[in-house]
Amino acid sequence: MKANLRYHELIFKQAAGTSRGILKTKPAWLITVTDGIKTGTGEVSLLPGLSFDHTPYFEQSLHQVIARINTGALLDEIISECTSLPSVKFALETALLSFKSDNEILFKNDFSSGLKGIPINGLIWMGDKDFMKSQINAKLDAGYKIIKLKIGAINQSDEFELLKYLRDHYSDSTLEIRVDANGAFSAKEAPNVLNQLAKLKIHSIEQPIKVNQWDKMAELCRNTPIPIALDEELIGVFDLQKKQQLLETIKPQYLILKPGLLGGFENSEEWLSLQKRYSFDWWATSALESNVGLNAIAQWTASTNNPLPQGLGTGLLYTNNVPSLLYIKDAMLWRGENVNETT
C-alpha cells in the first residue's frame, strides 16, 4: 500500500462567525492510498484552536505517518497508533473504507444507496443582527423545521431579540431551535442564560461553558431548564475509563459526536456504547469537513439508525469543495446521481 498527501485549503463562500473568531478558510489534507489498482481517499480536517492535534508539529507528524505507509507499515497498525492524531486517524479510517468500497459506499444502508435522506438542521452563523436574520429567513424559506444558531459572540440582547423574533412567528411545535455556545459563557452567567433560553422554548444548548469544568458542568446539567449537549468536552478524551468518568460525572442530556475531531469511527462508536449504557440521546455533526469527510460521516451516521435530525448540512459552505454525490433537498441530506442541489 502506498499513500500520497495533498493539501486543500477550503475557502468559505462567506466569512463564518464563531465565538472563537471569524473563519475565512480552513485547512484540509487529502490522503489517498493505493495498491496500484484500487484507491481510497480520506480527509484530514483541522479546526485551528479546537482540534486536539492542532499543534506546531502537526504537519511534521502527518508527513511521518505518510512516510510510514510508504515504507510498508500495515495501515491497520498505523491507524491503531494514531490516537494522539485524531484527525489523521479519521482520515486513514475513511481512506481504508474508501479503498475497500464500491462507488464510495463506505457503510451500506439506505442513505448510501440513495434510497433515504438524513434530516438535518439549518446552520445559522454568527454575525450582526441583520446578517443572522437574513440567514434565518433563507433557511425557513428552504423548508427547514430545525435551525441551529451560534450564540455568544455578538451583543447578548441582540441574540435574544433574534430568538424572540423566531418564537413570536413560529411556535416550538413548528420550529425547533438549537443553540451552540461553543463555551462562550462563564459558569456564573450560564444559569441566567439557560433560564432566558427556556422562556423561549429552546430545544437545547451545546457546550454553554468552557471544557474541563466537570463539576460546574454537572451542576448546570442537574439544574438546567433546557437540555445541555456536550460537544467540545468530548474532544481529546480517548481513554474508555475517562470517557465513562466524564459521563458519570456530568450526566448531560445529549452528546454531539464529531468523528473528524473525536478520532474517527472507532472512537465515536466507543462514545455510542457508553451513550446507550447511560441512555443519553445524541446526534452527529460535521466539523466543517469537505465533502470527502462529510460523505463518510453521513454514511456512518445513517448506519446507526439515529432518528434525530443531524448537523450535516455543511457541504454548501465552500467555493472549492470536492465534487460529491451529496445534495440537500427538503431540509434533508441525500446521496445520489441525479441531483438538484449539490453540497
Side-chain angles (χ1 to χ4, degrees):
M1 188 82 76
K2 297 295 183 182
N4 64 61
L5 183 68
R6 177 168 67 90
Y7 180 67
H8 184 79
E9 185 175 58
L10 294 161
I11 302 170
F12 284 90
K13 291 178 181 177
Q14 58 188 26
T18 76
S19 60
R20 288 182 294 273
I22 304 296
L23 300 176
K24 296 182 179 179
T25 62
K26 195 188 78 64
W29 292 260
L30 299 178
I31 297 177
T32 300
V33 298
T34 182
D35 63 356
I37 301 173
K38 295 188 68 176
T39 63
T41 301
E43 178 183 358
V44 180
S45 177
L46 285 186
L47 277 177
L50 180 58
S51 294
F52 177 82
D53 41 5
H54 182 232
T55 70
Y57 308 102
F58 173 77
E59 287 194 56
Q60 179 183 343
S61 299
L62 177 56
H63 284 283
Q64 287 173 350
V65 169
I66 300 301
R68 283 200 63 208
I69 296 172
N70 289 331
T71 54
L74 294 176
L75 193 52
D76 283 332
E77 291 182 2
I78 296 175
I79 290 172
S80 67
E81 294 168 4
C82 279
T83 301
S84 62
L85 295 169
S87 65
V88 179
K89 187 173 183 180
F90 168 70
L92 294 178
E93 280 186 350
T94 302
L96 186 57
L97 287 167
S98 172
F99 174 81
K100 294 177 178 179
S101 74
D102 294 316
N103 195 30
E104 287 299 307
I105 294 180
L106 314 185
F107 297 88
K108 291 184 178 180
N109 50 59
D110 285 348
F111 168 77
S112 60
S113 300
L115 300 175
K116 189 176 181 181
I118 299 173
I120 57 175
N121 61 240
L123 179 61
I124 309 301
W125 291 100
M126 290 175 171
D128 63 43
K129 186 169 61 175
D130 289 339
F131 171 64
M132 293 181 74
K133 199 169 184 178
S134 69
Q135 291 181 81
I136 290 168
N137 288 330
K139 293 298 182 186
L140 296 175
D141 289 344
Y144 283 88
K145 303 300 182 185
I146 303 104
I147 62 171
K148 171 180 165 181
L149 285 83
K150 299 277 188 177
I151 64 171
I154 66 173
N155 183 285
Q156 195 174 118
S157 62
D158 284 346
E159 290 177 342
F160 279 93
E161 185 179 326
L162 277 170
L163 293 171
K164 186 176 185 303
Y165 162 81
L166 281 172
R167 269 296 165 254
D168 286 344
H169 291 81
Y170 302 93
S171 70
D172 59 317
S173 62
T174 58
L175 180 67
E176 178 179 300
I177 304 173
R178 302 171 176 179
V179 297
D180 183 3
N182 292 125
F185 304 110
S186 69
K188 185 177 180 179
E189 66 183 333
N192 181 54
V193 171
L194 295 173
N195 285 328
Q196 290 186 67
L197 294 173
K199 292 175 183 176
L200 296 170
K201 298 184 178 179
I202 302 303
H203 172 270
S204 58
I205 181 171
E206 296 179 29
Q207 204 68 42
I209 64 174
K210 287 184 170 58
V211 301
N212 297 322
Q213 303 180 80
W214 288 13
D215 290 342
K216 292 177 180 178
M217 185 69 90
E219 183 179 355
L220 286 177
C221 289
R222 277 195 305 272
N223 301 309
T224 183
I226 65 168
I228 290 174
L230 298 187
D231 181 358
E232 289 91 341
E233 201 75 61
L234 310 183
I235 296 171
V237 182
F238 307 115
D239 178 72
L240 179 59
Q241 187 174 356
K242 188 173 181 182
K243 289 175 185 173
Q244 185 172 330
Q245 182 184 2
L246 184 153
L247 295 182
E248 287 180 347
T249 300
I250 297 177
K251 295 183 175 65
Q253 284 75 36
Y254 290 104
L255 301 182
I256 308 298
L257 298 185
K258 295 178 175 175
L261 294 181
L262 297 181
F265 302 115
E266 181 182 10
N267 203 32
S268 297
E269 291 283 356
E270 210 164 65
W271 282 111
L272 276 188
S273 69
L274 293 173
Q275 169 265 331
K276 292 173 184 175
R277 183 187 306 177
Y278 298 114
S279 299
F280 302 131
D281 282 327
W282 69 280
W283 62 83
T285 301
S286 159
L288 306 184
E289 290 86 359
S290 78
N291 281 329
V292 173
L294 180 60
N295 174 60
I297 295 168
Q299 291 191 43
W300 171 78
T301 302
S303 73
T304 68
N305 296 311
N306 184 347
L308 293 180
Q310 310 294 314
L312 301 175
T314 55
L316 291 167
L317 294 176
Y318 304 114
T319 62
N320 62 337
N321 209 337
V322 178
S324 168
L325 293 178
L326 300 175
Y327 66 102
I328 295 173
K329 182 180 179 182
D330 299 328
M332 299 182 81
L333 182 67
W334 295 82
R335 184 178 185 274
E337 293 285 355
N338 298 316
V339 303
N340 298 315
E341 181 183 9
T342 56
T343 66

